[in-house]
């Protein structure tokens, strides 16, 4: 018997929301495992220390390419089949990375890991198709909290696993989890066949028109690009600050990274409050909190226990601001129209992900040449830039 097609305004069960949230977290974590393993991977694969940074960069390139050229296909072909194919490719890529004997093979696998991981950004709009209008913000918030937990847990988890075994174990274990997850999604997800008759070429060309004709997309993408840029700046530079200022080991840094997980609680809360019409107020609040969190790190820079506690607090505040604003932005763009949600989500995510990549790039330079003072000022300026643009938003 064929599974029922996904219909708008059908209520989604809490069990299905949990499965989709867990799936998003497990999938997107693959983008971040290598960040704390760069040193070990470069030695094993024969990459020079100068070229080691490309390990993370090429995965991000694959992800952005997938957001722009694969995610929009979810508006064209049956979604469950598309996700199954991508997850199968992700499984193969993870195994290839785990057993790669040299740099070219590992980097090729990393590119494919980035491409395959865009399944998370097909699942999020898929969840909105299954949700009724009155529960859409809550569903997006819960699913996104799973995705954000995946991002936040990936770095410390990879460090802990690699410290007990070799770095290859991280990718091998992830491959097993992705295989199990694929089976569950195939069995439990309903089908969803888009009604669009647009060709793939027309679909890709339409991205430019969507961006031009959708001011709320441009605005929300800019807001999140600034906040995610600050987020990436912080988490790229903070390991160096923790080592220089507090003399922390790799395991100590991993434990500090766990503190940021607390910020993911803002995602479901923001979704619920957005359903009640608080989107505008919460957006401004998120930007202000992000700026304040960086100012805290600038004002308190001694190596005392009090300053370390304040640094942990700043990390939680920043993560809350970023995760909360992400849900607010996604809920806003998902309300624009059902048949374009895949493309809207792809554009939104790719734009703010570029902001994150820029933040990561700036972090190394700012810390190397200006220390934490310059880094914290740049981190403060990014959400303030979003706040200035936010002040031009018309009340509705």
């Amino acid at each position: 018997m064929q599974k029922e097609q996904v219909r708008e305004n059908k209520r989604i069960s809490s069990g299905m929301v949990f499965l989709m949230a867990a799936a998003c977290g497990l999938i997107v974590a693959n983008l971040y495992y290598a960040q704390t393993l760069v040193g070990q991977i470069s030695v094993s694969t024969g990459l020079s220390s100068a070229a080691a940074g490309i390990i993370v960069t090429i995965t991000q390139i694959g992800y952005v390419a997938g957001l722009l050229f694969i995610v929009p296909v979810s508006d064209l072909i049956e979604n469950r089949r598309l996700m199954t194919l991508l997850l199968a490719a992700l499984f193969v890529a993870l195994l290839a990375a785990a057993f790669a004997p040299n740099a070219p093979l590992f980097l090729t696998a990393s590119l494919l890991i980035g491409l395959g991981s865009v399944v998370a950004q097909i699942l999020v709009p898929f969840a909105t198709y299954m949700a009724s209008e009155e529960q859409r913000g809550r569903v997006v918030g819960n699913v996104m909290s799973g995705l954000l937990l995946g991002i936040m847990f990936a770095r410390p988890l990879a460090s802990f696993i690699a410290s007990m075994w070799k770095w290859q174990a991280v990718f091998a274990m992830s491959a097993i989890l992705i295989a199990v997850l694929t089976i569950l999604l195939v069995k439990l997800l309903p089908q969803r066949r888009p009604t669009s008759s647009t060709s793939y070429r027309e679909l890709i060309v339409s991205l430019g028109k969507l961006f031009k004709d959708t001011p709320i997309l441009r605005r929300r993408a800019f807001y999140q690009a600034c906040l995610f840029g600050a987020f990436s700046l912080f988490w790229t530079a903070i390991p160096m600050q923790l080592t220089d200022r507090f003399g922390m080991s790799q395991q100590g840094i991993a434990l500090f990274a766990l503190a940021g997980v607390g910020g993911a609680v803002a995602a479901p809360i923001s979704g619920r409050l957005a359903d009640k019409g608080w989107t505008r107020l919460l957006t401004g609040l998120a930007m202000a909190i992000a700026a304040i969190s960086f100012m805290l790190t600038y004002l308190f820079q001694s190596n005392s226990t009090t300053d370390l506690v304040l640094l942990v607090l700043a990390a939680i505040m920043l993560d809350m601001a970023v995760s909360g604003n992400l849900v607010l932005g996604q809920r806003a763009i998902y309300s624009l129209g059902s048949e374009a949600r895949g493309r809207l989500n792809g554009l939104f995510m790719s734009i703010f992900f570029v902001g994150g990549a820029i933040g990561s790039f700036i972090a190394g330079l700012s810390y190397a040449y200006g220390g934490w003072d310059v880094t914290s000022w740049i981190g403060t300026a990014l959400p303030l830039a979003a706040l200035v643009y936010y002040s031009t938003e018309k009340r509705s």
Side-chain angles (χ1 to χ4, degrees):
M1 187 172 67
Q2 284 190 335
K3 293 201 175 186
E4 190 179 44
Q5 302 291 316
V6 177
R7 298 191 184 103
E8 290 287 338
N9 298 324
K10 180 180 178 181
R11 295 189 67 83
I12 183 172
S13 69
S14 57
M16 181 60 73
V17 173
F18 177 80
L19 172 63
M20 299 179 89
C24 283
L26 291 171
I27 292 166
V28 83
N30 291 293
L31 298 171
Y32 299 93
Y33 288 140
Q35 286 191 335
T36 54
L37 307 176
V38 166
Q40 295 180 42
I41 294 171
S42 60
V43 171
S44 296
T45 58
L47 273 175
S48 66
S49 57
I54 199 174
I55 292 172
V56 176
T57 302
I58 201 164
T59 307
Q60 295 175 334
I61 290 172
Y63 191 63
V64 172
L67 287 170
L68 290 174
F69 300 110
I70 295 178
V71 170
V73 180
S74 63
D75 289 335
L76 196 61
I77 68 174
E78 201 278 306
N79 284 191
R80 191 177 63 183
R81 183 193 306 172
L82 175 62
M83 287 188 282
T84 302
L85 291 172
L86 289 170
L87 286 172
L90 178 58
F91 170 75
V92 173
L94 287 165
L95 285 181
F99 295 102
N102 53 54
L105 182 56
F106 182 84
L107 293 175
T108 301
S110 296
L111 183 69
L112 293 175
I113 287 172
L115 284 168
S117 296
V118 297
V119 172
Q121 298 309 324
I122 299 174
L123 273 170
V124 177
F126 192 98
T128 70
Y129 291 111
M130 300 176 69
S132 61
E133 178 62 32
E134 63 270 17
Q135 65 174 171
R136 185 163 292 150
R138 178 175 61 84
V139 168
V140 171
N142 287 336
V143 173
M144 286 306 300
S145 65
L147 185 146
L148 290 162
L149 285 171
I151 292 174
M152 295 170 186
F153 271 119
R155 299 178 186 91
L157 185 62
S159 293
F160 285 131
I161 293 174
S163 68
M164 291 186 291
W165 299 291
K166 293 183 178 180
W167 65 265
Q168 290 91 339
V170 177
F171 293 94
M173 291 172 68
S174 182
I176 295 170
L177 288 173
I178 292 299
V180 173
L181 179 64
T182 303
I183 295 170
L184 287 174
L185 292 177
V186 168
K187 287 184 174 295
L188 298 176
L189 281 184
Q191 291 184 336
R192 183 207 163 232
R193 297 183 184 278
T195 58
S196 175
S197 58
T198 307
S199 68
Y200 178 73
R201 180 180 177 279
E202 292 172 330
L203 200 70
I204 298 302
V205 170
S206 72
L207 292 176
K209 181 173 173 53
L210 269 177
F211 181 77
K212 178 182 177 182
D213 296 343
T214 315
I216 192 171
L217 169 65
R218 297 195 303 270
R219 182 173 287 276
R220 297 303 318 193
F222 180 80
Y223 292 165
Q224 192 62 21
C226 289
L227 292 189
F228 198 61
F231 174 89
S232 297
L233 179 83
F234 181 88
W235 286 108
T236 301
I238 199 63
M240 296 179 280
Q241 172 75 341
L242 291 173
T243 299
D244 296 343
R245 183 74 62 179
F246 297 97
M248 281 194 181
S249 64
Q250 187 64 40
Q251 285 197 341
I253 294 169
L255 288 170
F256 179 90
L258 286 175
V261 174
V265 71
I269 294 172
S270 295
R272 287 181 173 86
L273 294 177
D275 286 340
K276 297 179 179 180
W278 290 28
T279 297
R280 179 178 167 80
L281 174 63
L282 291 174
T283 297
L285 183 62
M287 296 168 187
I289 289 175
I292 291 169
S293 68
F294 262 103
M295 285 306 300
L296 272 178
T297 68
Y298 173 77
L299 295 172
F300 300 95
Q301 290 193 59
S302 73
N303 57 359
S304 68
T305 302
T306 300
D307 284 5
L308 180 59
V309 170
L310 288 172
L311 197 58
V312 170
L313 176 62
I316 295 172
M317 289 170 59
L318 179 61
D319 288 2
M320 287 182 67
V322 175
S323 60
N325 193 67
L326 176 57
V327 171
L328 297 173
Q330 287 191 297
R331 190 190 187 283
I333 65 171
Y334 290 158
S335 67
L336 298 176
S338 61
E339 288 307 313
R341 278 186 198 151
R343 282 167 288 169
L344 289 167
N345 189 57
L347 280 168
F348 175 71
M349 296 296 294
S350 60
I351 292 168
F352 93 68
F353 202 83
V354 168
I358 293 172
S360 296
F361 176 76
I362 292 174
L365 295 174
S366 65
Y367 192 84
Y369 293 103
W372 190 257
D373 283 358
V374 172
T375 303
S376 60
W377 276 112
I378 295 173
T380 303
L382 286 170
L384 286 180
L387 198 57
V388 169
Y389 186 39
Y390 164 81
S391 68
T392 68
E393 183 177 317
K394 293 181 180 178
R395 295 182 179 273
S396 58

